[in-house]
Amino acid sequence: WYKSMAEESKRGPIPNAIKEVISGSLAGVAGTIAGHPLDTVKARLQTQPGAYRGTFDCFIQIAKNEGVRRGLYKGLTPPMAQLVLMNSFSFGLFSQCKRTFDEQTDRVPFWSDRFRFLNGFIAGAATGFLGAGLSTPFELVKIQMQLDNVSAKQNPNGSTPPNKSTWSYTKKIYQEGGIRSLYTGHVVNTYRETVFCFAYFGVYDSLKGFLIHNLPLVVSLIRSTPQSDKSQEPQSEAKNVSVDFNFTPVAIAMAGGASGMAGWLISYPLDCIKTNIQQQAVWKNEKPSIWRTGKQIILSRGVMGLYSGIAPSIFRASIVSPIRFSAYEIGLSFFRRFD
């Protein structure tokens, strides 16, 4: 019953790489449009503790004072470009890594019989580690743009860029410190991406197959329970209902939501540290360390300071991840018509 993402991308007239790149791009566009406003809220809560009463208040204040396009959707271009590129790269790379690990470990009966499901987690970690090289500059520019309205209010005579385009921010950061400045926070972002993708792809890859197989059984059991002691007919009716209904989209959405929330839960402290490093005085060429930044957050806000803004991230993951994986699977199902 278990089929992984890699196993479902079988060879046909269209190469796997093309299917996965285009499907990943679709996932990136859909996920970014759906989730960017809450990502902006998360960045504000992470870097401005006490400025808002909570997630909803932060959302309303940004929309009211700065507008939807210039506030909630400010900095949309970097994550849009990043996630189209990153999703194309990461979904394709994950599937390739997973296929490779499956082929190699299938030669080891002990592993393939008991621990094959771990291949998805290992492939996810490898995907995050390799993908961090692409994501760090985009993350830096996005954070600078999301927090620029705040910086302008707090320091009206500061040295933030005079215009608001993505290119102006990228150019200004590059002029200040070259390529190295664009990779501010790269080490912590690598840790974050590795941990996040470990859970993100691993949970989805394992849980989707499990749910596709078991959701019909659960529905059949629920429907047959009230009259199970009277006759066997309700059970057969329940089986017919479960067969007639396609549970795959539901399983994809549920697995996607669970994977996104799991990824954020275990990687969020690293994301909080990354955001604080990347928002600190890039224009002054400061390079705060992971340890020092984490220590400052804990001393000033307590351990829970590392989880500032987690509510919008979890809520966002519960919405965006199902959309992202559904878009990816829709793309793959479209290409399967040509196989």
Side-chain angles (χ1 to χ4, degrees):
W1 57 269
Y2 172 76
K3 286 187 177 181
S4 69
M5 292 165 60
E7 290 171 327
E8 290 190 347
S9 297
K10 295 181 178 179
R11 288 190 178 278
I14 303 175
N16 287 337
I18 300 298
K19 300 177 189 175
E20 290 153 2
V21 164
I22 296 177
S23 299
S25 299
L26 181 62
V29 172
T32 305
I33 293 174
H36 189 75
L38 287 171
D39 192 59
T40 299
V41 171
K42 180 205 73 172
R44 296 290 181 89
L45 292 175
Q46 284 181 331
T47 56
Q48 302 168 65
Y52 304 99
R53 292 193 298 272
T55 301
F56 183 73
D57 179 62
C58 182
F59 185 94
I60 294 299
Q61 290 297 326
I62 295 173
K64 179 180 177 180
N65 298 327
E66 303 168 31
V68 174
R69 185 172 68 87
R70 295 181 180 275
L72 291 173
Y73 274 97
K74 185 167 185 177
L76 176 65
T77 303
M80 180 69 79
Q82 172 197 352
L83 288 172
V84 168
L85 179 63
M86 284 297 300
N87 278 269
S88 301
F89 173 83
S90 61
F91 278 92
L93 179 61
F94 170 79
S95 295
Q96 183 59 52
C97 288
K98 182 66 167 52
R99 279 192 291 267
T100 301
F101 290 148
D102 285 345
E103 290 170 2
Q104 296 301 316
T105 57
D106 283 347
R107 303 174 185 176
V108 184
F110 174 77
W111 183 274
S112 61
D113 291 342
R114 297 174 178 82
F115 304 110
R116 195 171 191 264
F117 73 95
L118 291 177
N119 291 349
F121 290 90
I122 298 170
T127 299
F129 180 82
L130 295 173
L134 291 175
S135 68
T136 299
F138 288 106
E139 285 288 315
L140 176 66
V141 174
K142 180 191 74 174
I143 292 299
Q144 290 293 320
M145 293 187 72
Q146 285 177 327
L147 300 177
D148 174 67
N149 289 350
V150 177
S151 299
K153 291 177 183 178
Q154 294 176 344
N155 186 22
N157 297 318
S159 56
T160 52
N163 57 64
K164 307 297 183 181
S165 70
T166 301
W167 172 245
S168 71
Y169 280 85
T170 306
K171 183 178 178 181
K172 177 66 175 178
I173 294 171
Y174 178 79
Q175 289 175 341
E176 291 291 332
I179 292 293
R180 289 187 63 184
S181 63
L182 286 170
Y183 277 87
T184 300
H186 177 60
V187 174
V188 68
N189 187 54
T190 301
Y191 294 152
R192 182 191 72 99
E193 291 280 11
T194 302
V195 171
F196 178 84
C197 290
F198 168 85
Y200 189 65
F201 285 108
V203 169
Y204 179 78
D205 190 63
S206 299
L207 190 57
K208 184 187 78 167
F210 176 83
L211 290 173
I212 289 174
H213 178 71
N214 287 285
L215 277 177
L217 301 178
V218 172
V219 172
S220 296
L221 180 62
I222 293 173
R223 295 198 172 218
S224 63
T225 297
Q227 300 180 12
S228 60
D229 57 339
K230 295 182 180 180
S231 69
Q232 296 298 320
E233 293 181 2
Q235 292 184 6
S236 62
E237 291 178 4
K239 290 181 180 178
N240 290 335
V241 171
S242 68
V243 170
D244 292 341
F245 185 79
N246 182 10
F247 285 91
T248 300
V250 179
I252 289 171
M254 291 177 66
S259 67
M261 289 187 286
W264 278 110
L265 278 172
I266 68 170
S267 68
Y268 199 83
L270 290 169
D271 184 75
C272 186
I273 293 172
K274 176 198 72 72
T275 300
N276 278 271
I277 286 176
Q278 291 187 325
Q279 68 95 28
Q280 290 179 35
V282 172
W283 320 114
K284 298 179 182 178
N285 255 341
E286 294 181 2
K287 306 296 178 186
S289 70
I290 300 172
W291 170 252
R292 186 167 64 248
T293 303
K295 184 178 178 181
Q296 289 173 348
I297 294 172
I298 293 173
L299 289 176
S300 61
R301 313 178 206 170
V303 174
M304 291 308 297
L306 293 171
Y307 287 90
S308 297
I310 192 170
S313 294
I314 297 298
F315 180 65
R316 173 176 171 268
S318 69
I319 297 174
V320 173
S321 293
I323 292 173
R324 184 172 292 156
F325 277 109
S326 295
Y328 176 76
E329 297 286 359
I330 288 170
L332 287 183
S333 66
F334 172 79
F335 285 115
R336 289 191 196 108
R337 299 177 183 178
F338 301 98
D339 291 345

